[in-house]
Amino acid sequence: MKRINVLLFIALLVACFTLKAQDPWKITADKPNPANYYGVTIANGMIGIVSSAEPFKVKNIVLAGAYDQYGRGRVSNFLNSFNLLNMYLEIDGKRLTAADVSNFRQELDMRHASFKTTFDYGDKATITYTYYSLRQLPFTVLANVSIKAKKAVTINAASVMEAPDALKEVQNYYNEIDRPHVTISLLTSTAKSPTGKLQLCASTSFIFKEAHGQEPRVIHEMWDNNMHLMKFSKKLDQGETYNYAVTGSSITSAHHSDPLNEAERMTVFAKLQGSDRLLAFHNQAWDELWKSDIQLGGDPQSQQDIHSMLYHLYSFTRAGSPFSLSPMGLSGLGYNGHVFWDTDIWMFPALLVLHPEIAKSLIDYRFDRLDAARRNAFSHGYKGAMFPWESADTGVEETPVWALSGAFEHHITACVALAAWNYYAVTQDKEWLKEKGWPILSQTADFWASRVERNGAGLYEIKNVVAADEWAENIDNNAFTNAAAKVNLQHAAAAAKLLGIKPNPDWSLVAQNIPVLKMENGVTKEHAGYKGEGIKQADVNLLAYPLKVITDPVQIKKDLEYYEGRVPDEGTPAMTQAVFALLYARLGNTEKAYHFFKDAFEPNLLPPFRVIAETKGGTNPYFATGAGGILQSVLMGFGGLDITPSGIVQIGSKIPAQWKSLKITGVGTEKKTYQRN
């Protein structure tokens, strides 16, 4: 009875979300409840701004690539940056708070990555402000503010710079650059990370519409070492609308050798561009991203949800970045901002088929840390390159000691290799394959050749691992690990042939003798000691996709029917049901595929913006890993896209009855369009 009530509650919650969620590009929250509020992220692949239900506040600012240790597991952690977008507004001497406003409304515009808040302050004013993490400027943000006076009022508006608690040795600066054509007020802060490893800096400036000499006078106030502000006053007539903006930049010594001056330089650059030009370039950049899109007919809620998933993956990444993706992207400090197999297996493929130039940044991140992977293999007594289960800035193992996955979840090495091979397959870029792909593929193959225990024909075993199903710890011959190692070895040999290099003959020998076990009923066995236990997440089913080691539809169906019943209703990550959806779509069972497509994320949605938690009933959004898996169920499942050694093709599959059509645009390097009706 308790389980039925929980499921009923979830169904009612989802129904409530669905009532107004029909716009394919905008998610709106009318009068959101601060006590049940999970912020949405505005990001540009470098800076993430997490929304708040409090007027003129943001929850936090997350900056990609900023890691240091500060007491959580003795490993590197993501750091919050300076909160450079907090503001306040006073009207006739009264500072506005949530208790003072009415008609409070927030809206995420996914097409152009903006977050707008609108509210009324009694009979005195209507206020609107909109945040942007500027796509064309990786370290720069913008907030546009509009105040419409319902009667004559005096406003006092402030831009507040706050330092997170973890930072130390905070120093605050304020200066004005006075030129004949412009005056620039700079509110700047700098601090050290907890161990002193990094210098973090941020700077902001007002952007006014008035001509030079007519803009408001800016005043600086220093409250304490962790907060200072700049503010101005303005009298407004009844019916007058006044607009101003705050732009700012945040950067660290992980990104630039002179972050303090660079933060101010980038802020000056944005200030002198002006709001209109900044937004024009920002919108243009997002228009380019959305040329690669997934368009559904007949199911507006699913269309909005798919756009949300794409929006978040696009927001959390960017071409040319030296950083990769964590499971929570730039939505917070979840999983310490570390990089797992979540990137290579779950998020990378969707980005690869839609934006290969973004996917390149993710696999180049792995190449840049290949030396660290070689040292990791050496320290464990193996050859080649062994990638860490959790990676941060340097590429060394960053898994907390209490988690056994760091020492034993070795399948990550084959996951990295699969991403490298698939990047070549989609782009057919032999220069990249020679320069970066081959070193990854060959050295990971060398790892597996040294990792197996050679116990006879068909018994080159891989013992003592943590499975892809992480509830199975220190077990032997895990299905996914063994099959992924086999694929890694085969792809290394294929790459050698393409490049005219003689492959190590041992690779083929090892690949042929790695076992994939079966149970008496013919179902693929998850590991040597498996006896039908519940599983945390997909393992055996990944052998059909993405590994393609199991290709017989009868076997795929048998494995699906067995393992889908061994995933609990709660407490497991969203990716598993996404794989079930993908495989059932390829088998032609669209009813089951659609069920698992919905089951992968709808019970995980949180108010008021339908952000995805990691698990059903979880509260830690945004789970970008799950979004990546669900997008694969649409692209590679219902859409039938398939990555082959010669590029992307479309194989047989069907769309569910709830959809009238499925159109995928901007696919691959040639930006092709694929359709299903």
Side-chain angles (χ1 to χ4, degrees), residues 84 86-89 156-162 173-176 183-188 203-208 217-223 227-233 244-248 267 271:
L84 71 168
N86 270 355
M87 298 181 278
Y88 71 70
L89 180 68
N156 293 289
S159 172
V160 183
M161 182 79 74
E162 295 183 83
Y173 304 92
Y174 177 77
N175 64 80
E176 290 188 352
T183 298
I184 303 173
S185 302
L186 290 173
L187 186 74
T188 304
S203 183
T204 64
S205 182
F206 285 118
I207 300 177
F208 296 117
R217 177 171 172 261
V218 177
I219 298 171
H220 176 244
E221 286 187 1
M222 179 80 167
W223 287 7
M227 182 173 67
H228 65 139
L229 61 88
M230 57 183 179
K231 66 180 184 179
F232 69 90
S233 297
Y244 68 95
V246 174
T247 189
T267 300
K271 156 86 173 181

Side-chain angles (χ1 to χ4, degrees), residues 610-624:
R610 299 178 70 87
V611 292
I612 300 175
E614 181 177 5
T615 62
K616 298 175 183 178
T619 57
N620 60 339
Y622 183 85
F623 191 47

Side-chain angles (χ1 to χ4, degrees), residues 647-668:
I648 298 171
V649 301
Q650 190 175 33
I651 62 176
S653 63
K654 295 181 180 179
I655 62 173
Q658 292 84 350
W659 299 354
K660 294 180 180 178
S661 62
L662 170 61
K663 183 178 181 181
I664 306 167
T665 63
V667 174

Side-chain angles (χ1 to χ4, degrees), residues 94-125:
K94 167 77 172 177
R95 185 171 302 180
L96 276 61
T97 67
D100 302 315
V101 305
S102 60
N103 302 319
F104 191 84
R105 187 173 189 263
Q106 294 183 317
E107 181 179 87
L108 170 68
D109 181 347
M110 297 177 287
R111 184 187 287 275
H112 288 133
S114 68
F115 185 77
K116 181 170 69 174
T117 300
T118 303
F119 57 86
D120 288 313
Y121 176 53
D123 61 351
K124 293 189 174 183

Side-chain angles (χ1 to χ4, degrees), residues 424-605:
Y424 164 72
V426 167
T427 64
Q428 299 291 300
D429 185 345
K430 280 194 177 181
E431 285 301 311
W432 182 89
L433 181 64
K434 180 180 179 181
E435 179 187 352
K436 298 182 178 180
W438 169 249
I440 293 173
L441 288 162
S442 60
Q443 291 173 48
T444 52
D446 286 343
F447 165 75
W448 291 113
S450 71
R451 176 66 178 83
V452 297
E453 299 178 25
R454 306 185 185 210
N455 297 319
L459 289 174
Y460 281 29
E461 297 176 289
I462 303 175
K463 294 189 174 184
N464 201 16
V465 298
V466 172
D469 164 24
E470 290 174 319
W471 288 347
E473 296 181 323
N474 299 101
I475 47 82
D476 299 336
N477 292 319
N478 167 239
F480 180 75
T481 303
N482 285 20
K486 181 190 295 279
V487 169
N488 189 164
L489 291 156
Q490 292 168 341
H491 286 160
K497 184 177 180 180
L498 285 165
L499 295 171
I501 299 171
K502 185 177 180 180
N504 183 343
D506 193 42
W507 294 345
S508 295
L509 175 66
V510 174
Q512 291 166 9
N513 285 284
I514 294 176
V516 174
L517 308 178
K518 284 194 175 183
M519 295 188 281
E520 291 182 2
N521 59 6
V523 172
T524 304
K525 195 173 187 179
E526 185 181 273
H527 57 82
Y530 183 72
K531 295 182 174 62
E533 301 91 336
I535 64 173
K536 177 185 176 184
Q537 58 203 59
D539 191 304
V540 164
N541 305 108
L542 299 175
L543 274 64
Y545 177 91
L547 296 181
K548 303 180 185 178
V549 169
I550 296 176
T551 57
D552 176 17
V554 175
Q555 185 66 49
I556 294 171
K557 184 172 182 287
K558 182 178 292 187
D559 290 345
L560 272 172
E561 290 176 343
Y562 182 85
Y563 285 103
E564 71 180 62
R566 277 155 179 80
V567 182
D569 288 332
E570 295 182 8
T572 60
M575 310 96 75
T576 302
Q577 288 83 359
V579 170
F580 294 163
L582 187 155
L583 292 174
Y584 273 121
R586 287 190 167 191
L587 290 174
N589 189 337
T590 56
E591 184 176 349
K592 269 202 165 184
Y594 188 73
H595 162 75
F596 282 116
F597 164 75
K598 288 286 192 179
D599 191 47
F601 70 96
E602 283 196 339
N604 304 53
L605 296 176

Side-chain angles (χ1 to χ4, degrees), residues 58-71:
V58 299
K59 181 181 178 183
N60 56 324
I61 304 285
V62 180
L63 189 60
Y67 293 97
D68 196 13
Q69 294 184 21
Y70 59 104

Side-chain angles (χ1 to χ4, degrees), residues 326-375:
S326 79
M328 303 302 177
L330 297 174
S331 70
L333 309 185
Y335 287 106
N336 296 329
H338 291 174
V339 180
F340 300 71
W341 76 317
D342 301 56
T343 302
D344 311 279
I345 292 295
W346 299 104
M347 295 182 272
F348 179 84
L351 289 166
L352 177 60
V353 299
L354 294 174
H355 280 288
E357 74 283 1
I358 293 179
K360 183 177 185 295
S361 294
L362 305 183
I363 194 60
D364 282 356
Y365 165 90
R366 295 295 195 183
F367 173 79
D368 292 342
R369 289 153 182 81
L370 189 56
D371 283 344
R374 280 194 290 264
R375 292 191 296 271

